[in-house]
Amino acid sequence: MASPDGAGGIDAPQVGDHLALDLLNTEARYQGHVMDFWTTGEAVHRWLVRQGVATSDARVEILADLLVRGRALRVAVREAIAARKAGGPVAVDILNDYLQAYETSPLLQRDDTGAMVLVRVPRGDATASLLGPVAEAAAELLVEGDFALVRQCEHPDCILWFYDRTKSHKRRWCSMAQCGNRHKATLYRERKNMPSPT
């Protein structure tokens, strides 16, 4: 990460291996402080486009609402995932509000090969249509996810989440290139500074 300025075009890390966990990762720790990659509605929209759940066109009037509602969804999803991970009761009312606002209808169309496909398209409130796929992904994770594989990075300075899809299910770091290497460097420095046995 070059800068903690989410509005400056720095993208949130995509290390979660699940849309709901990448939502949580729109907040990260940078130089000891929690930074928010979502500082504007445009930043939220850019993230949604990058995730492949929104198109690049968005009406200007929804962007301010998108920031407020996107952040509220993130809080609700974080609390639900943390509670589910801890084996406690999950508050579902706020997440259900997002799911119920996300109205879709079936549409028959042709795919790139010309084959007929049935897809669901959003209808209704523009902000709910943008955030709906994220809320739905979070709900699916809560219902179908193996929470033994939902983890937070083990590096003490990191708050990122991920779904461990490795074959051995022994993933410890959000990114081996980032936190894994930082951990190795710390261990190396500690070993180097240890007094030698006499």
Side-chain angles (χ1 to χ4, degrees), residues 18-26 38 44-45 47-54 66 69-78 81 95 98-99 102 127-142:
H18 193 285
L19 180 58
L21 299 176
D22 278 332
L23 168 67
L24 303 187
N25 295 341
T26 59
W38 287 359
V44 178
H45 182 251
W47 181 85
L48 292 165
V49 171
R50 186 174 174 221
Q51 296 296 325
V53 297
L66 185 60
R69 288 174 67 185
R71 282 179 168 177
L73 175 61
R74 181 177 61 196
V75 169
V77 171
R78 177 176 287 112
I81 287 174
L95 189 53
Y98 281 85
L99 293 170
Y102 179 45
T127 306
S129 293
L130 287 171
L131 294 172
V134 183
E136 190 170 346
E140 288 170 354
L141 177 65
L142 290 167

Side-chain angles (χ1 to χ4, degrees), residues 7-153:
I10 305 298
D11 291 320
Q14 286 187 286
V15 297
D17 288 322
H18 193 285
L19 180 58
L21 299 176
D22 278 332
L23 168 67
L24 303 187
N25 295 341
T26 59
E27 285 185 316
R29 191 167 284 142
Y30 180 80
Q31 296 181 348
H33 301 284
V34 174
M35 61 177 273
D36 191 340
F37 288 95
W38 287 359
T39 56
T40 64
E42 290 85 355
V44 178
H45 182 251
R46 189 171 53 246
W47 181 85
L48 292 165
V49 171
R50 186 174 174 221
Q51 296 296 325
V53 297
T55 60
S56 59
D57 57 327
R59 296 193 320 261
V60 172
E61 61 270 16
I62 70 162
L63 292 177
D65 189 39
L66 185 60
L67 177 61
V68 171
R69 288 174 67 185
R71 282 179 168 177
L73 175 61
R74 181 177 61 196
V75 169
V77 171
R78 177 176 287 112
E79 289 172 357
I81 287 174
R84 176 82 163 75
K85 180 74 178 158
V90 177
V92 296
D93 291 344
I94 295 173
L95 189 53
N96 277 336
D97 289 343
Y98 281 85
L99 293 170
Q100 290 170 346
Y102 179 45
E103 299 174 12
T104 64
S105 62
L107 179 68
L108 189 60
Q109 64 184 30
R110 297 196 180 274
D111 67 11
D112 294 340
T113 66
M116 299 290 284
V117 293
L118 186 62
V119 297
R120 296 204 65 85
V121 293
R123 300 277 185 232
D125 177 79
T127 306
S129 293
L130 287 171
L131 294 172
V134 183
E136 190 170 346
E140 288 170 354
L141 177 65
L142 290 167
V143 171
E144 300 167 0
D146 180 348
F147 269 72
L149 304 179
V150 174
R151 301 186 180 138
Q152 270 193 293
C153 181

Side-chain angles (χ1 to χ4, degrees), residues 152-187:
Q152 270 193 293
C153 181
E154 289 185 19
H155 196 283
D157 294 331
C158 187
I159 61 171
L160 299 181
W161 289 80
F162 60 87
Y163 197 96
D164 184 1
R165 298 184 191 276
T166 63
K167 195 172 186 177
S168 65
H169 300 305
K170 294 184 184 211
R171 182 176 168 189
R172 299 175 57 198
W173 317 109
C174 63
S175 163
M176 192 61 207
Q178 292 279 359
C179 289
N181 283 341
R182 285 196 301 170
H183 177 72
K184 285 181 178 179
T186 300
L187 291 177

